[in-house]
Amino acid sequence: TGLRQHVPSGEGLLLFDSVEDAVTGAGAIRSQYRMHSRAARDLAVAHFDSAVVLRRLIDRLGASRGLAA
């Protein structure tokens, strides 16, 4: 889907191409759950928070001129 090009992965978000990779990733999450859960939260805030997403959308539409940051 191209996600690798847009969002960091490896901690908090594990991507996979095969069932074997998915099983390995699930094991990694289970063995370091606290670290992965914190990283997932940080990633969600940094990339998917509405303020972040809407700012990018407004900027792409060219409508950000004159708006407060």
Side-chain angles (χ1 to χ4, degrees):
T1 63
L3 185 61
R4 285 178 173 90
Q5 299 168 349
H6 302 286
V7 181
S9 63
E11 290 183 1
L13 176 64
L14 302 179
L15 305 176
F16 55 91
D17 296 315
S18 68
V19 172
E20 293 80 14
D21 290 346
V23 170
T24 300
I29 292 169
R30 287 184 57 168
S31 69
Q32 294 183 307
Y33 180 78
R34 188 170 297 215
M35 184 271 300
H36 281 287
S37 65
R38 286 182 183 151
R41 171 95 166 90
D42 293 344
L43 184 135
V45 169
H47 294 275
F48 303 115
D49 182 78
S50 61
V52 172
V53 172
L54 291 175
R55 174 57 58 195
R56 286 186 201 144
L57 177 62
I58 289 169
D59 289 345
R60 284 186 181 171
L61 292 174
S64 62
R65 290 178 287 249
L67 294 178

